[in-house]
Amino acid sequence: MLTVEILVSAALGLATVLVVCTGLVVRFKSPQPRQREESENYFLCIDEKHERQRLGSLSDEPTVDLSIIVPAYNEEERLPVLLKDIREYVTARRQGEPKFSYELIIMDDGSRDKTVDVAMDFARTHKMRELKAVRHVINRGKGGAVTQGIMCSLGRYIMFCDADGATRFSDIDALLAQAKKSAIEGRVVAIGSRNNQALSDTVVERSHVRAFLQWGFHTYVTILGVRGVRDTQCGFKLFSREAARRIFPNMHVERFIFDVEILLLARYHHIPVAEVPVNWHEVAGSKMSIVRDSIQMALDLLAVRLNYMLGNWKVSQTAKD
C-alpha cells in the first residue's frame, strides 16, 4: 500500500513539474511579433521620380510572375554574390521568356552596415528597377524579415532565399517545376532540400558539426510532430500565392524556427509540400551561434507546439494586411 502511495505521489509531483514547465515555456518563450512602423510600409528603388514608394500587399492581385524575398542582416559583403546570381538567372530566363516579370525585395532587418547601400548601388549599376529595399527600424529576426517581405509581395509565385547565396539560384526552376506538378487547387509549397542528394546529382558541402546538428534537430522536429520532411531549415522555399495567403498571415515566429511553423501551417491547411534537391555549399560569415541558437530554436519549437496544442494561437483561413 505504501508503495502505491509513493508511486501516486511521484506521479503527481512529475505532473506538477510538467505543468509548471509548460506554463513557463508558453509564458516566456512564446513569440510576440511587433506591428510595422510606418516607415516600414515603404521601399526604396531606383525610380528617379519616386525613389520611395508604398509596398503592396499579399491580399492584392498578383502583378509579376515571381517575387524573390531576401532577408538580410549585416550582409554588405555576402549580398553581392547572390544579387549577381539572381541577375544572371533572370537574364538567361528572359532569353526564352521575354515577358517574364519579377520583383526582388531586400528586407534589411535593422542592419548596422551598408547592406541597403550595397543593394541600391547594385541596382543602379545594372539598371535593376525590379529591386526594392525595405529597412526595418528594429531587428526582427530572419523569420520576421521573411514574413514581412512575403506579406507585401506581388508575385504569382513567391520565394525566399538566404542572402549568403549558399544555394545556386537557378535551382528555383526545379522548385517551380515540382510546384506546378504538386499543386492542389493552386496551393503548394516547394522547399529546397540538402538531404536528398541520393535521389539526384546535386551537390552539398557542409561541415561535420553542421551535419550532426542538422541530424539532431531533424530528430527533435520529428518527435514534435513535423514528419515527412527531411530538411526543414534550408533557406530556399517557394510558395504559390494561394498557399502564402493561408500561411503567412498566421505566422508568429520571427527567429530561426520559423521554417517549422511554415510547415505546420501548411499541414493544417492541407497544402502539399514538395521537397526538391538543391545544390548548396556552406558559406562563411553566418550570424548563427551553433550552441546558443540551437538551444533557442529547441525552446522556440516547443513553445510553438504548445501554443497550437493548447489553442492559444488560432489559425485564420484568409489573408490579412
Side-chain angles (χ1 to χ4, degrees):
M1 187 69 179
L2 184 60
T3 302
V4 173
E5 291 179 352
I6 292 173
L7 290 174
V8 170
S9 296
L12 289 173
L14 179 60
T16 301
V17 171
L18 289 175
V19 169
V20 171
C21 290
T22 298
L24 289 173
V25 169
V26 172
R27 173 67 178 84
F28 294 105
K29 299 306 298 180
S30 296
Q32 300 292 333
R34 66 174 176 84
Q35 295 297 314
R36 283 185 193 172
E37 298 289 337
E38 177 59 25
S39 64
E40 296 172 342
N41 290 314
Y42 296 85
F43 66 87
L44 300 174
C45 63
I46 60 170
D47 188 320
E48 295 179 358
K49 294 182 179 180
H50 304 285
E51 291 185 354
R52 185 171 180 267
Q53 300 182 31
R54 193 168 185 86
L55 291 163
S57 170
L58 185 60
S59 61
D60 294 341
E61 290 301 309
T63 58
V64 296
D65 295 320
L66 178 66
S67 292
I68 305 165
I69 313 300
V70 180
Y73 177 66
N74 293 340
E75 293 288 0
E76 65 178 6
E77 294 185 3
R78 302 196 299 178
L79 184 59
V81 175
L82 174 65
L83 295 178
K84 180 176 179 291
D85 200 12
I86 292 174
R87 179 173 176 270
E88 290 175 351
Y89 168 79
V90 170
T91 300
R93 182 164 176 178
R94 281 180 169 170
Q95 290 180 354
E97 300 177 52
K99 294 184 178 180
F100 170 71
S101 58
Y102 77 104
E103 63 176 352
L104 171 57
I105 305 177
I106 308 297
M107 298 298 297
D108 177 67
D109 196 25
S111 296
R112 298 172 183 171
D113 65 0
K114 297 181 179 179
T115 295
V116 169
D117 294 336
V118 167
M120 296 307 296
D121 287 345
F122 188 93
R124 293 187 189 96
T125 299
H126 299 286
K127 296 181 174 57
M128 189 180 285
R129 298 186 180 279
E130 297 88 352
L131 188 148
K132 305 174 181 179
V134 180
R135 293 181 187 267
H136 279 171
V137 176
I138 302 172
N139 176 269
R140 286 178 177 270
K142 179 183 174 182
V146 168
T147 296
Q148 293 302 312
I150 290 181
M151 288 298 292
C152 66
S153 61
L154 297 172
R156 294 176 182 85
Y157 285 94
I158 305 163
M159 66 94 63
F160 73 83
C161 60
D162 290 344
D164 60 6
T167 305
R168 188 175 64 187
F169 191 79
S170 59
D171 285 351
I172 184 65
D173 285 340
L175 269 66
L176 283 165
Q178 188 60 52
K180 292 174 182 177
K181 292 179 182 178
S182 304
I184 297 177
E185 296 181 350
R187 303 172 195 171
V188 68
V189 178
I191 64 176
S193 175
R194 299 161 291 184
N195 280 347
N196 282 332
Q197 281 62 52
L199 304 177
S200 71
D201 58 357
T202 55
V203 176
V204 166
E205 301 173 7
R206 68 159 70 89
S207 68
H208 294 301
V209 172
R210 190 160 187 158
F212 174 76
L213 287 173
Q214 183 169 334
W215 172 82
F217 183 75
H218 173 70
T219 302
Y220 179 60
V221 168
T222 300
I223 292 171
L224 287 183
V226 181
R227 300 179 178 86
V229 177
R230 293 171 59 86
D231 186 1
T232 61
Q233 300 306 111
C234 183
F236 202 74
K237 292 182 171 66
L238 174 79
F239 310 86
S240 66
R241 191 169 189 80
E242 287 304 312
R245 281 175 166 171
R246 281 158 178 76
I247 293 172
F248 286 93
N250 293 295
M251 290 290 292
H252 299 85
V253 180
E254 296 200 312
R255 297 291 170 181
F256 289 114
I257 204 67
F258 80 102
D259 298 84
V260 176
E261 188 178 13
I262 287 173
L263 298 175
L264 286 171
L265 288 168
R267 186 176 70 175
Y268 177 88
H269 287 291
H270 306 290
I271 298 171
V273 176
E275 202 166 3
V276 182
V278 294
N279 292 278
W280 186 92
H281 66 283
E282 194 166 343
V283 178
S286 173
K287 309 300 185 299
M288 184 175 179
S289 168
I290 291 178
V291 176
R292 184 191 68 236
D293 289 324
S294 294
I295 295 173
Q296 181 70 43
M297 289 169 69
L299 291 173
D300 285 348
L301 178 54
L302 181 58
V304 168
R305 290 301 287 153
L306 287 172
N307 275 293
Y308 280 117
M309 288 172 61
L310 296 173
N312 294 338
W313 292 351
K314 306 298 182 183
V315 180
S316 172
Q317 298 291 331
T318 58
K320 298 176 287 184
D321 290 331

